[in-house]
Amino acid sequence: MHGSQDAPGDEAGIVEDLRHRFLERFGGTEGVRFFFCPGRVNLMGAHLDYNGGPVMPVALDHGTYLALRTRDDDRVRLAANLSSTSLEVGLRELPATATGSWADYPLGVLRHLVLEFGGDAGLEVLFGGNLPIAAGLSSSASITVGTAFAILTVWERERDLFACIRAALSGEREFVGVKCGIMDPYAVALTQPGHLLWLDCRDASFELLPLHRGAFEIAVVDSGVSRALARGAFNERVAQCAEAFERLKRACPEARCLRDVPAEVVEAEAAALGPLLLRRARHVALEVRRTFAAKHALLRGDFETLGKLISSTHESLRDLYEVSTPELDAIVDIARSWPGVLGARLTGAGFGGCAVIVFRACSSEGLASYVERGFQDRFGRKPSVYSFRSGGGPRELFPPGTVGGSERATGR
Ligand code: GLA
């Protein structure tokens, strides 16, 4: 797609840069190992995971890269390319509450791993990568799942992806304090290249659905609006949905979560809900229907319908769930006026961050510059447009014993 940018740096370049910075931050690179964990973009099922509904995320070929080695003592040192501050703490004296820094994400994971598996060796970890941060592409799950995967590997514990998911969820919910649903860690841990993850968040059952290579492509546009206030607003939406479910349970006693309450019951209970909770519950009930319809459209290769459903989701997020911004609405409107665009919506929690555009592969020429121009006319600055490919779960780069692995692992 001309005019768009691949997020900076190819894999070899990113690893060399990380190796160099590891040397600067920790001194020496002997024994260091490298890991990758993807970000994700969700196509359908917006704000359904914490309501027990289905979601349809795709893992990206961009994400978090970690350089990591064990120490002979129990000290843990954490550093990140994006921050000049680093953190040092003993494995047996990890803080019990969040510190307010970027390091809370890996610290929360580490606390969980020490409780579940015991922790025998201290660590030095440097975080880098090529994913836009706090843009709705799940940089947090990319960091937390990647941290768990890398640590379990170097501690020589079984690399169980579900253990990584548990650690990621515990770190983010209990330590960082975001009441997130299960979608993000499942998406970045389990999705395979060329597929999306169909995850039913009521019972965590999942399947991989093929993406029909070449039939449509996905671009992501960063609105550049920081999601600084997103955590509070996100937790507020979670609480509103919980309250809506409390009020709807009387009319729908068999329901186990808001996802189980049909749209007709939501409408019939409008007075009990009041206008605000009615809007939230209406979004959830209709989004559940749209997401099942999107799955069936994808399976039968009906991408027109899939695209229309994606755009309807945006309208619902804007009008009923009220998590959009003028910048995200503009990106969606501009993109949808381009021939060949099937659909567009904000992705992630909203309140800023990114929009995702789904378009016919043959119509990509000029799309990025069209969106950039249209946005610049309205807001006086250019948004970043990324062209991502679908990726798959966490992995070690050059594992010891593979070609290039031992040489790279010693840092010579
Ligand atoms: C954030 C959360 C996810 C999900 C989405 C909205 O990204 O981390 O768990 O709730 O918002 O769909």
Side-chain angles (χ1 to χ4, degrees):
M1 195 165 67
H2 294 290
S4 68
Q5 56 186 86
D6 269 340
D10 62 307
E11 188 153 274
I14 292 170
V15 170
E16 274 323 300
D17 181 58
L18 211 53
R19 185 194 304 284
H20 179 70
R21 289 170 189 254
F22 192 95
L23 177 75
E24 283 175 356
R25 304 286 282 256
F26 298 123
T29 56
E30 194 166 337
V32 68
R33 293 166 72 171
F34 296 92
F35 297 85
F36 169 78
C37 189
R40 66 95 189 94
V41 62
N42 187 28
L43 294 188
M44 288 296 294
H47 287 273
L48 287 194
D49 58 348
Y50 54 84
N51 287 306
V55 293
M56 297 173 72
V58 179
L60 301 174
D61 62 342
H62 287 59
T64 304
Y65 286 82
L66 297 88
L68 180 149
R69 71 177 165 198
T70 51
R71 290 172 57 98
D72 293 334
D73 57 17
D74 85 334
R75 305 304 292 167
V76 175
R77 299 169 75 195
L78 303 174
N81 281 351
L82 285 178
S83 168
S84 55
T85 58
S86 43
L87 185 129
E88 179 165 345
V89 66
L91 211 46
R92 314 275 156 226
E93 55 197 46
L94 295 173
T97 50
T99 64
S101 94
W102 65 270
D104 285 341
Y105 289 89
L107 270 180
V109 169
L110 193 55
R111 266 186 72 81
H112 179 93
L113 292 179
V114 169
L115 284 174
E116 186 172 341
F117 297 95
D120 38 25
L123 300 158
E124 283 164 342
V125 195
L126 176 63
F127 295 88
N130 56 1
L131 193 67
I133 301 294
L137 300 175
S138 201
S139 49
S140 54
S142 177
I143 290 171
T144 51
V145 171
T147 301
F149 183 85
I151 293 178
L152 288 180
T153 304
V154 299
W155 280 353
E156 296 179 355
R157 300 295 200 279
E158 195 194 341
R159 268 194 319 207
D160 172 2
L161 291 175
F162 293 96
C164 297
I165 292 171
R166 276 197 303 279
L169 280 172
S170 145
E172 192 153 1
R173 284 177 178 165
E174 281 147 44
F175 194 72
V176 180
V178 179
K179 306 288 169 215
C180 62
I182 67 172
M183 170 172 71
D184 297 345
Y186 273 80
V188 306
L190 301 178
T191 315
Q192 294 294 314
H195 291 78
L196 63 74
L197 188 75
W198 172 268
L199 173 66
D200 191 322
C201 300
R202 187 169 55 189
D203 59 5
S205 59
F206 63 90
E207 61 184 301
L208 291 167
L209 304 181
L211 276 172
H212 301 275
R213 210 168 163 214
F216 64 86
E217 286 186 16
I218 295 171
V220 171
V221 185
D222 190 345
S223 68
V225 177
S226 143
R227 302 189 315 147
L229 300 174
R231 188 181 298 179
F234 178 84
N235 286 346
E236 185 184 74
R237 294 299 180 285
V238 176
Q240 288 166 348
C241 286
E243 176 60 26
F245 181 55
E246 273 308 306
R247 297 193 195 180
L248 288 164
K249 262 194 327 207
R250 287 182 291 264
C252 202
E254 71 284 5
R256 286 158 53 204
C257 49
L258 190 52
R259 167 261 179 91
D260 292 331
V261 182
E264 295 71 21
V265 175
V266 171
E267 296 307 324
E269 294 300 309
L273 287 169
L276 186 130
L277 296 186
L278 175 63
R279 290 199 295 280
R280 306 296 186 253
R282 204 180 254 165
H283 164 79
V284 170
L286 297 177
E287 182 70 358
V288 169
R289 281 193 189 165
R290 276 191 293 267
T291 305
F292 277 101
K295 177 186 187 186
H296 296 129
L298 178 71
L299 290 177
R300 63 174 189 273
D302 178 357
F303 306 121
E304 292 285 336
T305 300
L306 175 66
K308 285 190 183 123
L309 290 162
I310 288 173
S311 297
S312 305
T313 290
H314 183 79
E315 283 154 25
S316 183
L317 289 170
R318 182 191 62 204
D319 301 336
L320 298 178
Y321 221 65
E322 299 171 292
V323 293
S324 191
T325 64
E327 291 83 356
L328 287 166
D329 293 341
I331 293 167
V332 168
D333 288 346
I334 297 162
R336 287 180 65 192
S337 67
W338 178 260
V341 164
L342 296 162
R345 54 159 284 210
L346 71 83
T347 183
F351 321 104
C354 289
V356 55
I357 306 174
V358 176
F359 55 97
R360 290 204 179 279
C362 58
S363 71
S364 66
E365 183 78 35
L367 169 59
S369 39
Y370 179 74
V371 173
E372 282 168 0
R373 265 200 319 277
F375 189 92
Q376 186 157 31
D377 287 347
R378 289 197 214 174
F379 298 101
R381 60 181 172 84
K382 266 192 182 179
S384 304
V385 183
Y386 297 99
S387 178
F388 293 123
R389 277 185 287 275
S390 87
R395 58 190 157 88
E396 179 167 13
L397 291 86
F398 337 111
T402 61
V403 179
S406 49
E407 184 196 333
R408 283 176 180 271
T410 58
R412 270 177 276 133

